[in-house]
């Protein structure tokens, strides 16, 4: 009789423990989405905070400088003793020169590397080469900057006698080397995702391996390839240390790649290093340049989204 009472009590206690455990699990299940929402909202709030700061500080700058002079001016002399000039076009020209050279270097070599890794390389070769390519993306950009200044520029000066120590060509080439792994890796992933049956069908119809790679796989993976290129271009536009070290600090509105330049990011570095006092027009100019750079990056991301949506293939 006593054993039955003990058994009944233990079973009741087990039921109570199980019910309390279920309640705790339900509470945890309800708390997890709230915690994840708070974590996700941090990045969103940070983005809004950055954009709000840029807009407010840029508005203060335009209260001192006319927006037409900023957008269409061809001279950028913020440190002039007499009359300051804040025409953004020389900085945009310097940025686009470096970016264009980087694209010319990175896109052909990046896509060619992706085609080799996806269509020609064996599994063992791919396991060796792809990590080596991706290591290039992990090298600090300041190392790339010194590499451009101390190795690439002297090498180019032997080929181009009129090339100055600070120029657009050397940092453009090195920026292209820096973004090459991004294009190669993402493009290879896009090409590898193309079903094997499509390749086999093309080969069965008499196509060569090169024709399959260039006329079948490449168009099928075009969405991912273009997205990787646009992403790399955005990375090149926002590059800072390479152009600061090897590009110089002479903003010029021309198309000469052998002379000293200054990009938008290089100007921000120059002013942020202490060359301007807080609250001055020069200080607020870094926010206007930063906002212009933000618009460039936003435009590139929008273009990538539109192109990827247009050429996306469903399998």
């Amino acid at each position: 009789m006593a054993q039955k009472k003990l058994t009944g009590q233990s079973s009741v206690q087990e039921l109570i423990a199980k019910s309390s455990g279920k309640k705790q699990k339900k509470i945890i299940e309800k708390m997890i989405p709230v915690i994840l929402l708070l974590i996700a909202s941090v990045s969103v709030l940070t983005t809004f905070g950055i954009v709000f700061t840029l807009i407010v500080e840029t508005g203060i700058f335009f209260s001192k400088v006319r927006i037409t002079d900023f957008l269409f001016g061809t001279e950028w002399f913020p440190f002039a003793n007499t009359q300051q000039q804040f025409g953004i076009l020389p900085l945009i020209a310097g940025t686009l020169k470096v970016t264009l050279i980087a694209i010319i270097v990175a896109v052909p070599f990046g896509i060619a590397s992706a085609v080799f890794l996806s269509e020609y390389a064996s599994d063992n070769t791919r396991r060796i080469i792809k990590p080596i390519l991706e290591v290039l993306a992990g090298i600090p950009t300041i190392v790339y900057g010194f590499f451009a200044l101390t190795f690439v520029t002297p090498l180019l000066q032997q080929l181009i006698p009129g090339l100055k120590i600070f120029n657009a060509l050397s940092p453009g080439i090195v920026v292209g080397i820096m973004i090459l792994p991004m294009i190669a890796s993402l493009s290879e992933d896009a090409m590898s995702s193309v079903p094997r049956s499509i390749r086999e069908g093309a080969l069965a119809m008499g196509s060569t391996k090169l024709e399959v790679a260039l006329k079948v796989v490449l168009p099928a993976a075009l969405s991912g390839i273009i997205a990787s290129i646009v992403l790399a271009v955005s990375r090149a536009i926002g590059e800072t240390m390479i152009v600061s070290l090897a590009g110089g600090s002479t903003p010029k509105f021309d198309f000469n790649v052998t002379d000293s330049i200054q990009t938008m990011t290089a100007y921000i570095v120059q002013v942020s290093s202490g060359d301007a006092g807080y609250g001055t027009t020069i200080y607020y100019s870094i926010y206007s340049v930063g906002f212009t750079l933000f618009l460039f990056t936003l435009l590139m991301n929008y273009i990538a989204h539109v192109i990827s949506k247009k050429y996306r293939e469903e399998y």
Side-chain angles (χ1 to χ4, degrees), residues 50-291:
I50 292 172
V51 174
F52 176 76
T53 303
L54 284 175
I55 292 174
V56 171
E57 303 296 334
T58 302
I60 297 174
F61 172 78
F62 286 130
S63 67
K64 301 180 179 182
V65 178
R66 291 189 302 177
I67 190 170
T68 53
D69 294 339
F70 177 78
L71 293 176
F72 305 108
T74 58
E75 293 184 346
W76 184 269
F77 297 115
F79 296 100
N81 295 325
T82 55
Q83 186 177 2
Q84 295 175 319
Q85 300 288 335
F86 291 98
I88 192 66
L89 290 181
L91 297 182
I92 293 177
T95 302
L96 293 181
K97 280 190 284 188
V98 172
T99 304
L100 182 61
I101 296 170
I103 293 171
I104 294 172
V105 172
V107 171
F109 287 97
I111 295 179
S113 301
V115 170
F116 171 75
L117 291 173
S118 174
E119 304 303 316
Y120 290 93
S122 62
D123 291 338
N124 292 331
T125 305
R126 190 181 298 109
R127 291 193 195 100
I128 295 172
I129 294 179
K130 192 171 182 180
I132 293 174
L133 276 173
E134 292 174 348
V135 164
L136 290 174
I139 297 175
T141 55
I142 192 169
V143 176
Y144 277 118
F146 282 114
F147 172 72
L149 182 63
T150 60
F151 180 79
V152 178
T153 298
L155 186 63
L156 290 174
Q157 284 178 329
Q158 297 178 3
L159 303 174
I160 307 173
L163 187 69
K164 296 185 178 179
I165 187 67
F166 296 109
N167 56 82
L169 189 60
S170 176
I173 292 173
V174 176
V175 170
I177 295 172
M178 183 193 66
I179 64 175
L180 190 151
M182 183 182 299
I183 296 176
S185 180
L186 295 177
S187 298
E188 193 272 333
D189 291 339
M191 294 175 69
S192 297
S193 64
V194 176
R196 178 65 58 182
S197 58
I198 295 179
R199 295 177 173 86
E200 293 173 351
L203 291 171
M205 295 182 69
S207 301
T208 63
K209 202 166 187 179
L210 181 62
E211 289 174 337
V212 172
L214 299 181
K215 297 182 180 180
V216 177
V217 178
L218 206 63
L222 190 62
S223 172
I225 293 172
I226 293 177
S228 69
I229 293 172
V230 177
L231 185 63
V233 170
S234 300
R235 179 72 179 84
I237 290 174
E239 173 50 37
T240 304
M241 293 310 301
I242 298 175
V243 293
S244 298
L245 291 172
S249 58
T250 309
K252 292 181 179 180
F253 184 59
D254 56 27
F255 300 100
N256 185 10
V257 298
T258 62
D259 206 353
S260 176
I261 61 166
Q262 188 172 46
T263 64
M264 291 186 281
T265 53
Y267 173 74
I268 294 173
V269 170
Q270 179 187 2
V271 177
S272 301
S273 61
D275 289 345
Y278 176 80
T280 60
T281 307
I282 300 175
Y283 169 79
Y284 287 114
S285 68
I286 65 174
Y287 289 98
S288 63
V289 174
F291 187 70

Side-chain angles (χ1 to χ4, degrees), residues 22-34:
K22 289 181 179 179
K23 288 181 180 179
Q24 291 177 356
K25 288 182 179 179
K26 287 181 180 180
I27 293 172
I28 294 173
E29 288 291 335
K30 291 180 179 179
M31 288 177 60
I32 289 297
V34 177

Side-chain angles (χ1 to χ4, degrees), residues 6-20:
L6 291 172
T7 304
Q9 290 177 356
S10 62
S11 62
V12 171
Q13 290 174 353
E14 289 176 358
L15 290 173
I16 294 172
K18 287 181 180 180
S19 62
S20 62

Side-chain angles (χ1 to χ4, degrees), residues 37-47:
L37 177 62
L38 292 175
I39 294 172
S41 63
V42 170
S43 59
V44 177
L45 293 175
T46 302
T47 303

